[in-house]
């Protein structure tokens, strides 16, 4: 399957996918492009280093949100993308993309949804919220993307322990290492093998 990865930042989750592929895994996934709304996203460099097309698509180039998402949809359709992976993409996907790729968009979120998610819960903020609330366990979630923010069917979750001296930065790193970089390649591998799909609003895994 042809896979596009959408990013806004450093791209360590993208790197986890590329590492898995370069190690001989993800045999049914072909990474065809990486799209970023930010020019300086290091993820674009990672794409180039791996011979993958890097597309910079800033929102300011468009008059309104609808036009941006139509352009994004067309870029993905032109490349015959089968699966869209959101790996730290900080633009909420618009209807044109959601409609064209129903059941074929997945996202990684750094908490156990439904905790610490939704509008405004992204990046370090998520870990600040977890520490503030005093939960003892957090984690990461891979889920399908629907019209809402972090509301789509859950595919995989993995718990990560919170330790007494954690700062948001320390916790963010542990959640990435122990959960995100494991769950995302696993989800992409299984989806591209045709083993994950949506049925009656839930993710079915075979
Ligand atoms: C990750 O924490 C991911 O869960 C969230 O955005 C962050 C992206 O980090 N959606 P990176 O760019 O993959 O390093």
């Amino acid at each position: 399957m042809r896979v596009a990865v959408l990013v806004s930042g450093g791209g360590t989750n993208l790197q986890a996918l590329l590492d898995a592929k370069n190690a001989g895994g993800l045999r049914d996934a072909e990474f065809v492009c990486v799209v970023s709304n930010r020019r300086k996203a290091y993820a674009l460099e990672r794409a180039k280093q791996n011979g993958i097309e890097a597309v910079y698509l800033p929102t300011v180039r468009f008059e309104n949100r609808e036009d941006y998402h139509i352009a994004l949809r067309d870029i993905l359709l032109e490349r015959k993308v089968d699966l869209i992976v959101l790996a730290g993409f900080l633009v909420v996907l618009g209807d044109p993309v959601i409609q064209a790729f129903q059941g074929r968009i997945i996202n990684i979120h750094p908490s156990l949804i439904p905790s610490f998610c939704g509008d405004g819960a992204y990046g370090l903020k998520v870990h600040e919220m977890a520490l503030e609330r005093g939960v003892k366990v957090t984690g990461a979630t891979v889920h399908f993307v629907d019209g809402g923010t972090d509301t789509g069917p859950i595919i995989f979750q993995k718990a990560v322990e919170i330790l007494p001296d954690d700062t948001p930065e320390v916790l963010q790193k542990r959640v990435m290492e122990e959960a995100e970089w494991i769950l995302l390649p696993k989800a992409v591998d299984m989806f591209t093998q045709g083993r994950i799909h949506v049925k009656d609003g839930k993710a079915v895994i075979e």
Side-chain angles (χ1 to χ4, degrees):
M1 283 194 198
R2 296 171 65 79
V3 182
V5 185
L6 276 47
V7 295
S8 298
T12 61
N13 279 285
L14 167 67
Q15 191 64 52
L17 293 171
L18 298 176
D19 288 349
K21 178 80 188 166
N22 293 335
L26 304 185
R27 299 178 84 114
D28 297 305
E30 183 191 350
F31 294 98
V32 293
C33 64
V34 171
V35 182
S36 174
N37 62 314
R38 289 187 48 230
R39 191 200 303 273
K40 291 198 173 143
Y42 187 64
L44 289 176
E45 284 306 313
R46 297 184 197 266
K48 288 180 206 157
Q49 284 163 12
N50 283 271
I52 298 165
E53 184 189 12
V55 181
Y56 167 51
L57 190 71
T59 51
V60 288
R61 205 182 279 167
F62 300 86
E63 268 188 18
N64 56 56
R65 187 171 178 269
E66 175 87 1
D67 287 354
Y68 181 81
H69 290 283
I70 289 172
L72 178 56
R73 177 198 64 196
D74 291 348
I75 284 171
L76 298 166
L77 288 175
E78 276 163 20
R79 285 156 184 77
K80 301 195 178 351
V81 165
D82 299 300
L83 170 66
I84 301 172
V85 178
L86 305 184
F89 188 56
L90 295 180
V91 180
V92 177
L93 281 190
D95 272 349
V97 183
I98 306 263
Q99 298 299 333
F101 291 92
Q102 283 209 20
R104 294 188 290 142
I105 311 172
I106 64 174
N107 180 48
I108 176 95
H109 183 79
S111 75
L112 296 174
I113 290 174
S115 291
F116 316 124
C117 63
D119 291 333
Y122 62 88
L124 262 191
K125 190 92 211 297
V126 178
H127 304 291
E128 285 166 10
M129 290 163 80
L131 291 176
E132 183 135 321
R133 184 63 185 81
V135 293
K136 305 302 177 202
V137 170
T138 184
T141 303
V142 182
H143 63 92
F144 280 107
V145 173
D146 60 11
T149 308
D150 303 327
T151 52
I154 290 172
I155 300 170
F156 293 128
Q157 293 188 299
K158 190 165 188 294
V160 173
E161 196 180 355
I162 293 185
L163 301 178
D165 293 335
D166 275 349
T167 62
E169 289 80 6
V170 167
L171 181 57
Q172 179 181 52
K173 187 158 180 283
R174 188 179 315 113
V175 169
M176 283 180 160
E177 287 172 356
E178 293 185 9
E180 296 184 44
W181 301 343
I182 297 163
L183 290 190
L184 192 60
K186 181 176 164 190
V188 170
D189 190 32
M190 290 184 65
F191 184 93
T192 53
Q193 287 177 40
R195 295 171 60 194
I196 305 176
H197 59 272
V198 183
K199 194 177 172 218
D200 301 331
K202 299 251 166 48
V204 179
I205 297 153
E206 288 156 18

